[in-house]
Amino acid sequence: MNLLLLHPDQRLDGDRWRLDDRQATHVRSVLKLAEGDHCRAGLLDEGTGQAVIESIKNNEIDISFKVDSKPVSALPLNLLLALPRPKMLKRLSLIHISEPTRRYAIS
């Protein structure tokens, strides 16, 4: 999932946010978004929602964003792996990222 991760310091006012230089470069060159386009965004430790590109001036991109879903809480599980092969470790890491657990240990 491609997601713009916003920090509370980026809020301008209300639902308006300004992307930092790295995010602006990513939006223009990788995502190739223009004014009026929509993308997924998330606020650090708050949740996710839809962002709309409001304006692009030089290297400054302003978006409107509102949180519409809360973050997924970790499952009440501890994941313990005993000497997984590198290929399997990669697969299990991807599962751990998509379905977070409380603890992740490799022995």
Side-chain angles (χ1 to χ4, degrees), residues 26-82:
H26 184 76
V27 164
R28 283 186 290 108
S29 61
V30 176
L31 300 178
K32 299 185 186 328
L33 299 176
E35 288 183 24
D37 287 345
H38 296 261
C39 66
R40 298 279 303 152
L43 179 57
L44 189 63
D45 296 328
E46 293 290 326
T48 60
Q50 282 284 2
V52 179
I53 308 295
E54 296 293 337
S55 68
I56 300 176
K57 295 177 185 165
N58 298 328
N59 201 34
E60 290 185 347
I61 297 180
D62 292 346
I63 64 171
S64 63
F65 167 73
K66 185 185 283 188
V67 173
D68 63 16
S69 65
K70 296 295 178 191
V72 177
S73 60
L75 296 172
L77 300 175
N78 295 325
L79 182 60
L80 175 63
L81 303 175

